[in-house]
């Protein structure tokens, strides 16, 4: 049979992610085309034996071969590249066509691009895609924004290629405007918090409990066999078991302890600050990566201060607490991220449903985890839940594990081992469950030095007082 000549979807950006997603869509029976200026990439597609996938190196020919309304999926680096690709496409597209940006774009750029393209009647859709290279090939979790019309055109294509839980695809509309990229940004914020918490657990196992890489791998594997089953715990086991290819021991020991970042975690924290939503576990994870980059300074300070004396510790007891610490920390990290999405949805008019977000994170994405099942169920049964921590299932989960978080932090503090994300999670939990906080003292201080006024517990209104003993 001859190759198809008209295509349901065209993809620009045939790097590993783009190529894998296109092959995935083709495997599901969709008739798809890829464009690349790099002739070897488009030739690769042309040479594939399947009839339902084709490659182009001429942009106008590529666009002309797409079914109307056209869908052009972009998998190009976030930032100026998106603008330049859009600028090239714009004169070739017509009213009613769709451009779907599937990169990790900043949500405010997406909002701007939506407005710019709306002037030509082109709908720009920001879509988060998670799952890395293997997810793109075998089933990612996808978070598209945009309106109903976009979902009607894109839904069947995306559903065919998404990860699945049973027969439920891990893709659904996230809400209006830039909601898709916003939800992906928070996915990454939670990803930063969970990765940092796992690194803190690893540090305690290694430095305080003196465990070998294999002992730690076995412990994380035990976690992964239970309620903490998740992709990030699973890959931690794989990392710890990977041998050093250039010598003895494990590869992880040869990796420089300086964590890099592409920006989505920082954006989550920045936007949380703008919205006035506390997400301290995410903030702490961003700061911890930044602190790790101060390697020269750390090397200089290390010999100046001594470690606190280590008291005897029962390894089995400490490990039991550590499993509960991570369990509590993970629940609290999801609670913070989802609370930020709720606030952003209200502020930016996304109309995002948290139950849907949690549902499509259950497979395919980096933060997929068994605890997303009860989290999705909690929001499905109470869509106006003020905070995940208020759900009965969260109360049960934290009742069972928060003591482990406290015990673990005591161990960390006594040993002088930093655990900033776990500590921030606990402080958030304790703050959120405090009927009365010491903010009254801050209000009084503000009013004393700056006449900033304060509210009272017993009367409505705004007050200013002359503070000081009579
Ligand atoms: C995903 C990931 C992915 C991102 C990494 C790296 O969901 O597939 O989130 O989008 O590339 O998280 O992010 P950092 O470089 O900032 O760690």
């Amino acid at each position: 049979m001859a190759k198809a000549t008209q295509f349901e979807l065209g993809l620009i950006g045939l790097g590993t992610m783009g190529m894998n997603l296109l092959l995935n869509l083709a495997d599901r029976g969709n008739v798809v085309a890829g464009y690349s200026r790099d002739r070897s990439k488009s030739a690769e597609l042309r040479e594939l034996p399947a009839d339902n996938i084709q490659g182009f190196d001429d942009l106008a020919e590529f666009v002309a071969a797409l079914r109307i309304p056209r869908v052009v999926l972009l998998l190009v680096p976030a930032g100026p590249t998106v603008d330049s690709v859009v600028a090239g496409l714009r004169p070739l597209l017509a009213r009613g066509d769709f451009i779907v940006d599937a990169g990790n774009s900043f949500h405010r750029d997406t909002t701007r691009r939506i407005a710019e393209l709306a002037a030509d009647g082109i709908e720009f859709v920001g879509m988060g895609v998670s799952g890395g290279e293997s997810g793109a090939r075998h089933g990612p979790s996808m978070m598209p924004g945009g309106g109903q019309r976009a979902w009607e055109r894109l839904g069947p294509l995306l559903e065919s290629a998404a990860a699945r839980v049973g027969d439920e695809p891990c893709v659904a509309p996230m809400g209006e405007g830039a909601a898709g990229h916003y939800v992906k940004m928070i996915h990454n914020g939670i990803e930063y918090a969970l990765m940092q918490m796992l690194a803190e657990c690893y540090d305690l196992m290694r430095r305080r409990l003196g465990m070998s890489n294999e002992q730690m791998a076995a412990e994380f594997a035990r976690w992964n066999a239970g309620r903490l089953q998740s992709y990030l715990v699973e890959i931690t086991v794989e990392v710890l078991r990977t041998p050093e290819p250039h010598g003895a021991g494990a590869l992880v020991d040869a990796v420089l302890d300086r964590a890099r970042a592409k920006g989505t975690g920082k954006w989550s924290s920045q936007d949380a600050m703008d919205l006035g939503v506390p997400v301290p576990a995410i903030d702490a994870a961003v700061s911890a990566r930044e602190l790790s980059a101060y390697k020269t300074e750390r090397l200089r300070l290390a010999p100046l201060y001594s470690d606190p004396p280590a008291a005897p510790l029962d390894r089995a007891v400490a490990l039991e607490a550590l499993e509960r610490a991570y369990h509590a920390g993970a629940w609290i990290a999801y609670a913070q991220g989802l609370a930020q999405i709720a606030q952003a949805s209200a502020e930016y008019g996304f109309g995002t449903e948290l139950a849907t977000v949690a549902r499509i994170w259950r497979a395919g994405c980096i933060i997929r985890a068994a605890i997303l099942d009860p989290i999705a169920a909690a929001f499905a049964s109470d869509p106006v839940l003020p905070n995940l921590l208020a759900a009965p299932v969260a109360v049960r989960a934290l009742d069972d594990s928060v003591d482990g978080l406290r015990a673990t932090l005591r161990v960390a503090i006594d040993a002088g081992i930093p655990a900033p994300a776990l500590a921030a999670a606990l402080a958030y939990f304790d703050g959120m469950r405090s009927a009365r906080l010491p903010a009254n003292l801050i209000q009084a201080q503000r009013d004393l030095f700056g006449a900033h006024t304060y509210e009272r517990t017993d009367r409505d209104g705004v007050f200013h007082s002359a503070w000081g003993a009579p």
Side-chain angles (χ1 to χ4, degrees):
M1 265 199 7
K3 286 256 188 197
T5 51
Q6 203 195 39
F7 304 89
E8 274 302 306
L9 171 146
L11 187 145
I12 298 183
L14 297 176
T16 317
M17 285 290 288
M19 190 63 101
N20 281 356
L21 191 55
L22 197 66
L23 292 172
N24 176 1
L25 282 158
D27 280 354
R28 311 287 156 192
N30 301 295
V31 186
V32 294
Y35 164 82
S36 176
R37 269 186 314 195
D38 176 348
R39 281 166 190 269
S40 68
K41 294 266 183 204
S42 46
E44 218 177 290
L45 293 179
R46 280 196 295 278
E47 281 154 22
L48 287 173
D51 310 330
N52 62 334
I53 186 161
Q54 180 60 296
F56 289 84
D57 48 37
D58 182 292
L59 190 61
E61 276 175 29
F62 163 76
V63 171
L66 302 178
R67 175 170 83 75
I68 292 168
R70 299 176 185 89
V71 174
V72 183
L73 196 63
L74 310 184
L75 262 150
V76 299
T81 311
V82 175
D83 289 309
S84 71
V85 173
V86 167
L89 269 176
R90 204 167 167 174
L92 302 172
L93 295 177
R95 295 189 80 76
D97 288 346
F98 297 93
I99 299 177
V100 184
D101 173 12
N104 273 333
S105 291
F106 184 46
H107 69 99
R108 292 192 195 282
D109 286 338
T110 304
T111 303
R112 167 179 61 77
R113 291 173 185 137
I114 290 171
E116 285 169 5
L117 285 148
D120 292 357
I122 297 166
E123 189 168 344
F124 186 86
V125 177
M127 179 168 83
V129 178
S130 177
E133 293 171 12
S134 142
R137 185 68 184 86
H138 305 291
S141 170
M142 290 179 278
M143 298 150 244
Q148 185 59 27
R149 212 186 127 257
W151 180 246
E152 276 164 19
R153 178 71 174 88
L154 298 168
L157 287 161
L158 300 177
E159 284 182 345
S160 73
R164 306 188 99 75
V165 176
D167 55 7
E168 282 182 68
C170 289
V171 57
M174 294 290 99
E176 298 292 326
H181 277 149
Y182 198 92
V183 169
K184 177 65 196 331
M185 176 181 82
I186 302 303
H187 166 285
N188 284 24
I190 295 170
E191 174 184 302
Y192 274 53
L194 298 176
M195 290 171 76
Q196 177 60 30
M197 288 176 188
L198 285 170
E200 292 168 12
C201 294
Y202 156 75
D203 209 12
L204 285 165
M205 287 183 198
R206 195 173 56 103
R207 283 210 269 169
R208 183 63 179 99
L209 303 179
M211 292 167 70
S212 68
N213 287 314
E214 179 43 43
Q215 285 170 328
M216 291 188 280
E219 182 62 15
F220 283 119
R222 197 178 67 78
W223 291 13
N224 201 44
R227 61 185 177 173
L228 296 182
Q229 193 286 316
S230 60
Y231 175 70
L232 286 171
V233 173
E234 182 190 317
I235 64 164
T236 306
V237 178
E238 274 181 56
V239 164
L240 290 167
R241 287 192 170 145
T242 303
E244 158 67 56
H246 306 293
L251 178 55
V252 68
D253 292 331
V255 175
L256 184 64
D257 55 335
R258 192 161 68 188
R260 305 285 185 173
K262 294 205 195 74
T264 44
K266 181 183 76 178
W267 297 342
S268 298
S269 282
Q270 283 173 328
D271 204 69
M273 297 276 174
D274 288 344
L275 291 168
V277 185
V279 292
I282 298 174
D283 301 338
V286 173
S287 297
R289 287 199 193 188
E290 289 163 354
L291 193 150
S292 78
Y294 281 72
K295 178 77 177 177
T296 314
E297 291 78 354
R298 289 192 282 121
L299 286 171
R300 179 158 180 182
L301 295 186
L304 302 184
Y305 299 95
S306 49
D307 286 332
L313 191 63
D314 182 320
R315 185 190 279 184
V317 171
L319 285 178
E320 195 271 335
L322 201 58
E323 190 271 351
R324 294 199 290 144
Y326 183 69
H327 184 244
W331 271 89
I332 296 167
Y334 284 104
Q336 291 178 14
L338 289 163
Q340 182 170 349
I341 293 176
Q343 185 63 33
S345 176
E347 193 87 11
Y348 306 139
F350 293 152
T352 306
E353 287 171 8
L354 297 184
T356 311
V357 173
R359 180 168 63 74
I360 66 154
W361 283 351
R362 289 177 308 153
C365 69
I366 304 293
I367 63 168
R368 62 185 186 257
I371 68 168
L372 280 163
D373 281 322
I375 292 176
F379 284 106
S381 67
D382 185 358
V384 292
L385 199 60
N387 186 300
L388 175 61
L389 299 183
V393 66
V395 175
R396 282 196 298 277
L398 286 159
D399 252 357
D400 180 57
S401 49
V402 90
D403 287 351
L405 180 53
R406 293 187 199 287
T408 295
L409 286 168
R410 279 193 290 270
V411 169
I413 290 166
D414 286 347
I417 295 173
L422 289 170
L426 181 62
Y428 176 85
F429 171 77
D430 282 334
M432 288 298 284
R433 67 176 192 86
S434 292
R436 188 159 171 89
L437 285 169
N440 54 322
L441 183 72
I442 293 169
Q443 283 297 79
Q445 290 165 332
R446 291 176 70 243
D447 192 50
L448 183 152
F449 67 63
H452 293 297
T453 73
Y454 60 94
E455 294 157 293
R456 294 184 56 99
T457 54
D458 55 353
R459 266 178 277 160
D460 285 341
V462 172
F463 300 88
H464 167 61
S465 297
W467 297 88

